[in-house]
């Protein structure tokens, strides 16, 4: 019944997956879950849905009338694969896609491509997924949070559907699932008893892959791999035979910058191009920068969608090299076989058809990478890891790999989530190289040395779920309507006590309700921010009395981590518990004395004391007139830093780390943009010269902090033991034991706190606890009992 065009039919038959059609279909008939592993480009995504289609799945009159669903971690893959399969099947409206903001589904749809986020949301409405007869979970090797969670949920749906269909086969049909992976690393799915009772069969498809020569750089560029990529692309383009170039960088900003440079250097259009062509080219380039109304929600989030950088941090325009530029980098481009003798004549005006590819790019601009490049031009695609396994771009012969990836990271100690650029894994570097060998033998230029590859690249990437703070993960799941997280079959499960604690924290924050443990409206808003839930909560409740700009600054500083040097960084004299007696402005006297001291070691000791005294004076200055909170002190530092013009000398004079201050600044900008995008009717902008908060605002800020740190409240031990009588007054908090919610150990306010020399409050909220000689509370704020 399928009427494919002859050329399509011929091309399909060459795909390795098509050689296994019988094996695959038999396995799917005999098992509810089947795993298919095969190299990128072997035909998994385009062909397996067609096998199912031809076998009658999704046909209204068949025994399996439900849809064929295919999930993808990325929007670009969902859209482009739907179009490709529709083209191959030679049908008009039977193959559709659905992504967050757009769908082509209709009553005629039989194969539906969608992002895994879309399917997770459908689960909320119909947990049995009754409209599907078979689901293909693609790109499982990526171990994205959404894909992992989806596989966990679907293992449950399978069992339910199987049981229900035994009772009434007419009403409920069993569901079949195919998990597809570009690598053989699937034991987390096959050997996980809580996921599937019987290990599902694994079908391995041997891919036909042309050889790819790998060329390592002799040296690894210190920072500017974008510049290095630019040079390498120029050389390939000028010297090597025809064939597309695929470049791997880490994020939007880098890609946009490199595309701009390349387009200036090697325009796509010949010098005498028609006005129409020039206008067309201009329009399509402009379409790239059109902003799609995509906000960084948990669904569909790819790391690159949330960028910490902004336009002010763009990579400096680098100089255009002269055409006869001194070639100081490795010249492996010279070492070609006889067939590959470079053009003697370096035609620097040869057009290069440069296209960006990253997931925030508008969909139609993304789709241009699949079109044939204009006659006489060479295709050059500058991509994030979207192009690693999700999409196959035809005609790529050269890969330029910076070896970097931007990934979500989580610091257990500080609770900071960040998007860091770091070396990718060996497995993913090999996937990237493989992109050059699909149409013929190819070359991969790695912009790093083999020593760096051997010694610094991890074998595999860590699953995303293990790079996320657990409260954040649980909140994400709840926002996808997955309520019972403790018994949830994660492919790589986090420890159970962590899950339980995470739910308690979320309950205290009001992100989930107490009884049902379901997400609240507040929780749903919190889930939109790339920071831990307690900080997100502060942002959301911070919209009162004009406090939001302060809250954004505070949350940014807390997320980055304390920028203040620790007094132990100053010198070794500082014993954490020793009281310093020179904090009261005797500095000038000391200074004079210093001149009179001959003995070097005594002078040294005095100098240290002086520094230390200056350090404490600075801390007290920032603490303000009513020092009740280390966090407010932090806010004052951020404000003072901006007021002073964000200079290095400010950092030195005020004992703060310049890099941390820079990061706080970037995060403030990003969070401000997200608040504007996600919170209706909120208009907040960054005012670098933020005025200090008023007395009322200070009080409100402390209440907001209390609400955010509601699971991190410490109570004076004597108050608990006396059954709530205020008892004796302590002149300072030094040596006064407190108790916190999650343990039975005495804890103490750290000497670096502004509260250390204040009368000991009954209640304090703290940002973190850490253990050295004792358990110390840091980032402390005095809490009024009536707020609790
Ligand atoms: P896999 O999912 O195993 O990585 P695909 O099914 O995506 O493989 O691709 C199989 C082959 O189909 C590719 O090698 C390519 O030749 C061809 N192909 C896929 N998409 C397109 C497209 N949009 N245009 C032309 N050819 C395509
Ligand atoms: Mg695929």
């Amino acid at each position: 019944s399928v009427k494919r065009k002859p050329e399509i039919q011929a091309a399909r038959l060459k795909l390795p997956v098509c050689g296994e059609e019988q094996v695959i279909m038999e396995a799917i008939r005999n098992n509810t879950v089947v795993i298919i592993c095969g190299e990128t480009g072997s035909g998994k995504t385009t062909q397996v849905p067609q096998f199912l289609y031809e076998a009658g799945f999704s046909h209204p009159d068949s025994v399996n009338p439900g849809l064929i669903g295919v999930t993808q971690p990325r929007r670009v893959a969902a859209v482009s694969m739907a179009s490709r399969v529709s083209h191959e099947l030679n049908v008009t409206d039977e193959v559709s896609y659905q992504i967050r903001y757009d769908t082509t589904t209709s009553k005629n749809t039989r194969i539906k491509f969608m992002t895994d986020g879309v399917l997770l949301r459908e689960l909320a409405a119909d947990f049995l997924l009754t409209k599907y007869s078979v689901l293909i979970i693609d790109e499982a090797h990526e171990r994205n949070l959404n894909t992992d969670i989806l596989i966990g949920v679907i293992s449950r749906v399978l069992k339910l559907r199987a049981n229900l269909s035994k009772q009434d086969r007419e009403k409920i049909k069993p569901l079949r699932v195919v998990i597809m992976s570009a690598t053989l690393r699937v034991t987390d799915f096959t050997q996980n008893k809580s996921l599937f009772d019987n290990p599902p069969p694994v079908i391995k498809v041997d891919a036909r892959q042309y050889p790819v020569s790998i060329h390592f750089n002799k040296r690894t560029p210190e920072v500017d791999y974008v510049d290095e990529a630019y040079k390498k692309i120029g050389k390939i383009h000028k010297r090597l035979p025809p064939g597309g170039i695929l470049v791997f960088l880490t994020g939007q900003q880098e890609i946009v910058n490199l595309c701009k440079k390349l387009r200036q250097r090697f325009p796509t259009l010949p010098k005498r191009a028609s006005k129409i062509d020039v206008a067309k080219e201009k329009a399509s380039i402009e379409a790239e920068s059109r902003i799609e109304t995509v906000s960084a929600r948990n669904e569909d989030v790819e790391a690159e969608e949330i960028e910490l950088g902004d336009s002010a941090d763009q990579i400096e325009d680098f100089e255009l090299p002269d055409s006869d530029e001194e070639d100081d980098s490795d010249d492996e481009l010279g070492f070609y076989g006889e067939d590959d003798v470079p053009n003697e004549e370096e035609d620097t005006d040869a057009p290069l058809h440069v296209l960006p590819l990253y997931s925030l790019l508008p969909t139609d601009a993304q789709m241009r990478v699949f079109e044939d490049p204009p006659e006489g031009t060479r295709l050059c695609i500058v991509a994030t890891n979207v192009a690693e396994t999700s999409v196959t771009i035809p005609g790529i012969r050269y890969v330029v790999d910076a070896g970097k990836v931007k990934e979500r990271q989580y610091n257990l100690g500080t609770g900071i989530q960040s998007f860091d650029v770091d070396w990718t894994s060996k497995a993913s570097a090999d996937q990237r190289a493989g992109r050059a060998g699909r149409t013929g033998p190819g070359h991969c230029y790695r912009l790093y040395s083999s020593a760096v590859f051997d010694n610094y690249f991890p074998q595999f990437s860590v699953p995303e779920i293990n790079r996320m703070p657990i409260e954040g993960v649980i909140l994400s799941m709840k926002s996808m309507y997955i309520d019972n997280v403790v018994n949830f079959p994660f492919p790589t499960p986090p420890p159970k006590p962590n899950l339980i604690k995470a739910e308690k924290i979320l309950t205290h924050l009001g992100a989930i309700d107490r009884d049902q443990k379901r997400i609240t409206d507040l929780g749903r808003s919190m889930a939109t921010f790339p920071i831990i839930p307690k900080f997100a909560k502060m942002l959301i409740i911070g919209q009162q009395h004009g406090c939001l700009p302060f809250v954004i600054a505070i949350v940014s500083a807390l997320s980055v981590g304390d920028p203040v040097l620790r007094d132990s960084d100053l010198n070794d004299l500082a014993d954490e518990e020793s009281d310093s007696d020179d904090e009261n402005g005797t500095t000038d006297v000391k200074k004079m004395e210093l001149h009179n001291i001959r003995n070097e070691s005594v002078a040294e000791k005095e100098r240290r004391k002086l520094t230390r005294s200056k350090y404490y004076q600075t801390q007290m200055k920032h603490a303000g007139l009513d020092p009740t909170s280390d966090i407010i002190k932090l806010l004052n530092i951020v404000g003072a830093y901006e007021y002073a013009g964000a200079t290095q000398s400010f950092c030195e004079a005020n004992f703060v780390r310049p890099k941390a201050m820079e990061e706080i600044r970037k995060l403030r900008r990003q969070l401000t943009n997200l608040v504007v995008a996600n919170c209706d009717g909120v208009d907040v902008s960054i005012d670098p010269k933020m005025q200090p908060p008023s007395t009322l605002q200070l009080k409100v800020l402390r209440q907001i902090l209390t609400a955010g740190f509601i699971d991190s409240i410490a109570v004076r031990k004597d108050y608990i033991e006396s059954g709530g009588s205020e008892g004796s007054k302590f002149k300072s908090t030094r040596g006064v034991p407190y108790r916190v919610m999650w343990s039975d150990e005495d804890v103490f306010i750290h000497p670096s706190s502004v509260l250390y020399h204040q009368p000991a409050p009954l209640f304090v909220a703290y940002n973190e606890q850490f253990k050295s000689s004792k358990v110390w509370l840091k980032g402390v704020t005095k809490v009024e009992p009536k707020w609790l």
Side-chain angles (χ1 to χ4, degrees):
S1 66
V2 175
K3 298 188 194 68
R4 293 189 187 90
K5 297 202 172 104
E7 67 274 16
I8 293 284
Q9 190 57 24
R12 290 185 76 216
L13 291 179
K14 291 197 197 125
L15 292 172
V17 158
C18 292
E20 307 290 330
E21 179 169 357
Q22 303 303 327
V23 179
I24 290 171
M25 286 314 298
E26 199 173 304
I28 293 174
R29 277 194 200 94
N30 296 332
N31 299 274
T32 46
V33 187
V34 173
I35 298 179
I36 302 176
C37 300
E39 259 294 332
T40 305
S42 57
K44 299 181 302 297
T45 310
T46 53
Q47 305 308 316
V48 175
Q50 296 187 56
F51 300 163
L52 290 162
Y53 178 97
E54 282 195 90
F57 278 84
S58 78
H59 194 282
D61 302 331
S62 76
V63 287
N64 294 300
L67 291 177
I68 300 166
V70 190
T71 69
Q72 297 288 330
R74 296 187 169 85
R75 291 194 298 270
V76 58
V79 176
S80 66
M81 290 301 158
S83 130
R84 178 67 189 172
V85 171
S86 176
H87 176 72
E88 291 199 12
L89 280 174
N90 204 4
V91 294
T92 48
D93 58 356
E94 289 172 53
V95 187
S96 315
Y97 67 81
Q98 184 174 350
I99 57 178
R100 187 179 174 94
Y101 294 102
D102 192 14
T103 182
T104 60
T105 51
S106 71
K107 62 180 190 332
N108 296 330
T109 301
R110 289 185 53 187
I111 302 177
K112 174 168 147 186
F113 284 86
M114 67 202 120
T115 52
D116 39 24
V118 164
L119 189 60
L120 277 170
R121 279 162 70 103
E122 287 186 6
L123 276 162
D126 173 16
F127 193 77
L128 290 177
L129 297 172
T130 39
K131 67 176 165 217
Y132 300 96
S133 60
V134 54
L135 282 169
I136 301 174
I137 311 295
D138 206 356
E139 312 290 346
H141 60 276
E142 286 201 12
R143 303 303 306 276
N144 288 341
L145 183 62
N146 275 354
T147 310
D148 267 17
I149 292 175
L150 202 48
I151 290 174
V153 184
I154 284 175
S155 74
R156 292 294 153 95
V157 177
L158 274 175
K159 282 176 199 161
L160 272 174
R161 284 266 294 257
N163 288 340
L164 288 169
S165 79
K166 267 181 214 142
Q167 292 163 23
D168 187 353
R169 166 84 210 194
E170 273 315 295
K171 208 157 150 229
I172 306 263
K173 309 264 192 308
L175 177 67
R176 282 169 206 286
V177 173
V178 181
I179 297 174
M180 305 208 291
S181 166
T183 70
L184 273 170
R185 203 179 163 228
V186 289
T187 45
D188 283 347
F189 307 132
T190 54
Q191 304 304 317
N192 184 337
K193 282 266 186 290
S194 77
L195 208 49
F196 304 117
D197 299 337
N198 305 310
V202 178
I203 299 172
K204 188 168 167 285
V205 178
D206 285 318
R208 168 210 45 161
Q209 165 85 24
Y210 293 97
V212 175
S213 327
I214 308 271
H215 310 270
F216 284 99
N217 259 17
K218 288 207 188 69
R219 282 171 284 107
T220 303
E222 273 301 302
V223 265
D224 211 345
Y225 53 86
V226 182
D227 190 22
E228 188 74 9
Y230 174 77
K231 288 182 189 152
K232 193 70 79 183
I233 295 160
K235 276 184 211 160
I236 293 171
H237 183 48
K238 283 186 274 180
R239 301 182 191 176
L240 298 184
I245 307 172
L246 174 59
V247 187
F248 286 101
L249 297 181
T250 72
Q252 175 174 3
Q253 203 58 62
E254 288 172 3
I255 291 172
V256 168
N257 288 343
L258 183 57
C259 285
K260 198 167 137 213
K261 289 288 147 197
L262 288 167
R263 282 166 173 164
Q264 274 167 14
R265 184 74 181 85
F266 306 105
T268 302
L269 297 170
K271 283 205 182 79
R272 268 165 295 161
S274 73
K275 281 211 174 85
I276 297 173
D277 285 348
V278 173
K280 253 200 202 150
E281 179 68 11
K282 204 165 154 246
S284 44
I285 290 177
E286 273 165 9
E288 288 170 6
S289 48
R290 216 187 52 228
I291 295 164
E292 266 192 323
T293 48
V294 175
S295 56
R297 305 217 175 239
N298 282 295
E299 175 189 349
D300 292 352
V301 158
E302 296 158 37
E304 62 187 278
E305 288 193 356
I306 304 166
E307 300 234 7
L308 287 174
D310 78 335
S311 52
D313 305 310
Q314 282 181 20
I315 295 154
E316 289 293 310
D317 280 5
F318 34 82
E319 289 292 307
L320 292 180
D322 298 334
S323 51
D324 56 355
E325 132 221 31
E326 169 86 32
D327 183 7
D328 62 344
S329 71
D330 320 346
D331 210 356
E332 67 284 277
L333 287 181
F335 299 127
Y336 270 88
E338 286 306 304
D339 296 346
D340 285 2
V341 173
N343 288 342
E344 278 306 307
E345 183 95 318
E346 286 196 355
D347 183 8
T348 51
D349 287 327
L352 190 64
H353 186 55
V354 180
L355 295 174
L357 181 64
Y358 51 88
S359 44
L360 267 193
L361 193 67
T363 309
D364 46 349
Q366 292 186 358
M367 298 302 285
R368 287 181 75 205
V369 303
F370 301 106
E371 295 164 11
D372 288 335
E375 191 64 32
T377 67
R378 184 202 290 271
L379 183 64
C380 175
I381 294 182
V382 186
T384 58
N385 55 0
V386 167
E388 210 169 281
T389 59
S390 299
V391 295
T392 309
I393 298 155
I396 297 300
R397 188 162 175 197
Y398 308 100
V399 164
V400 174
D401 177 18
K404 301 279 184 168
V405 67
K406 184 184 283 179
E407 267 180 344
R408 195 196 287 264
Q409 302 293 344
Y410 175 57
N411 180 323
L412 259 175
T414 59
I416 300 173
Q417 289 188 69
S418 58
F419 287 92
D420 294 344
V421 173
D422 204 347
W423 297 118
T424 189
S425 64
K426 288 183 173 132
S428 89
D430 290 343
Q431 286 290 340
R432 292 176 183 189
R435 298 311 99 242
R438 299 315 314 173
T439 25
H443 295 274
C444 173
Y445 298 94
R446 291 180 167 168
L447 305 179
Y448 43 91
S449 68
S450 57
V452 165
F453 179 80
D454 290 340
N455 299 324
Y456 293 97
F457 280 48
Q459 196 61 43
F460 298 103
S461 309
V462 178
E464 195 181 16
I465 198 164
N466 293 350
R467 287 185 274 115
M468 305 261 298
I470 196 72
E471 304 95 275
V473 174
I474 301 308
L475 186 60
S476 295
M477 289 175 64
K478 305 265 180 184
S479 77
M480 296 161 188
Y481 305 98
I482 300 163
D483 293 318
N484 185 356
V485 294
V486 173
N487 295 324
F488 186 77
F490 294 96
T492 310
K496 217 169 201 168
N498 294 11
L499 287 169
I500 293 168
K501 184 175 165 192
E503 278 197 330
K504 278 195 188 142
I505 291 174
L506 291 173
T507 312
H508 286 140
L509 290 173
I512 59 179
D513 70 54
R514 206 162 286 275
D515 308 321
Q516 307 283 331
K517 307 252 177 277
R518 295 217 177 108
I519 193 161
T520 59
D521 287 345
L522 174 64
R524 202 163 289 288
S525 310
M526 285 163 60
T528 60
F529 294 100
I531 47 178
I532 59 173
K534 65 179 173 185
F535 297 161
K537 165 133 185 201
M538 291 181 207
L539 272 190
I540 288 163
I541 60 175
Q543 300 163 25
Q544 31 178 318
H545 301 285
C547 279
L548 195 52
F550 304 123
V551 177
I552 291 174
I554 287 172
V555 162
S556 303
L558 290 174
S559 298
V560 168
D562 194 351
V564 180
L565 292 171
R566 298 210 286 139
D567 53 0
S568 59
D569 295 337
L570 299 178
N571 54 58
D572 302 327
L573 277 182
D575 166 14
E576 277 182 327
E577 289 183 80
S578 85
D579 242 352
S580 165
D581 58 356
D582 43 13
E583 284 168 26
N584 298 320
T586 51
T587 318
D588 288 341
V589 180
K590 291 251 145 102
K591 226 181 234 164
M592 274 156 36
E593 282 172 5
L594 200 57
H595 290 293
N596 300 327
I597 297 171
R598 304 268 146 168
N599 185 316
E600 262 312 304
S601 75
V602 177
E604 176 62 24
K605 213 170 164 184
E606 283 303 311
R607 218 171 283 129
R608 288 179 175 184
K609 258 185 154 175
L610 192 59
T611 310
R612 195 154 181 255
S613 137
K614 195 163 164 262
Y615 172 82
Y616 278 102
Q617 281 175 23
T618 310
Q619 299 314 309
M620 293 318 282
K621 182 183 80 195
H622 291 303
L625 296 174
D626 169 30
T628 47
S629 169
D630 295 323
I631 315 279
I632 304 285
K633 182 192 84 179
L634 204 51
L635 173 67
N636 286 338
I637 292 173
V638 173
Y641 168 78
E642 294 294 347
Y643 197 82
T647 59
Q648 182 83 25
S649 59
F650 173 90
C651 296
E652 277 163 24
N654 289 275
F655 303 96
V656 291
R657 293 178 291 124
K659 188 160 173 288
M661 296 308 294
E662 271 296 306
E663 285 172 10
I664 292 169
R665 184 166 223 225
K666 286 187 196 168
L667 191 54
R668 270 179 77 197
R669 260 188 226 127
Q670 187 205 5
L671 291 179
T672 305
N673 293 338
L674 279 173
V675 167
V676 172
N678 289 328
C679 303
D680 292 336
V682 176
D683 189 20
V684 60
S685 57
I686 289 272
D687 176 12
K689 308 247 147 129
M690 185 169 49
Q691 292 299 313
S694 66
T695 314
L696 172 66
Q697 283 171 328
L698 273 179
K699 193 174 156 211
V700 174
L701 282 173
R702 281 205 291 135
Q703 287 177 12
I704 291 169
L705 288 168
T706 306
F709 290 128
I710 198 71
D711 65 310
S712 314
I713 302 288
V715 186
R716 231 169 62 193
K717 190 181 173 188
D718 63 294
Y719 180 76
I720 300 176
E721 286 178 345
S722 67
S725 105
E726 294 224 10
S728 50
K729 299 250 186 276
F730 293 94
K731 276 212 323 282
S732 87
T733 61
R734 186 181 175 201
V736 177
Y738 283 77
R739 283 296 174 87
V740 298
M741 203 180 296
W742 311 104
S743 86
D744 296 327
E745 217 173 327
D746 288 351
V747 298
F748 299 87
I749 290 175
H750 191 260
S752 69
S753 171
V754 298
L755 283 170
Y756 194 59
H757 299 287
Q758 302 293 317
L762 291 178
F763 300 92
V764 294
Y766 61 91
N767 181 38
E768 50 184 3
Q769 296 183 65
F770 76 93
K771 201 167 184 159
S772 56
S773 51
K774 295 176 179 172
V775 179
W776 299 107
L777 301 179
K778 290 194 79 177
V780 180
T781 298
K782 181 179 168 187
V783 168
E784 305 297 339
K786 62 173 181 281
W787 296 342
L788 292 170

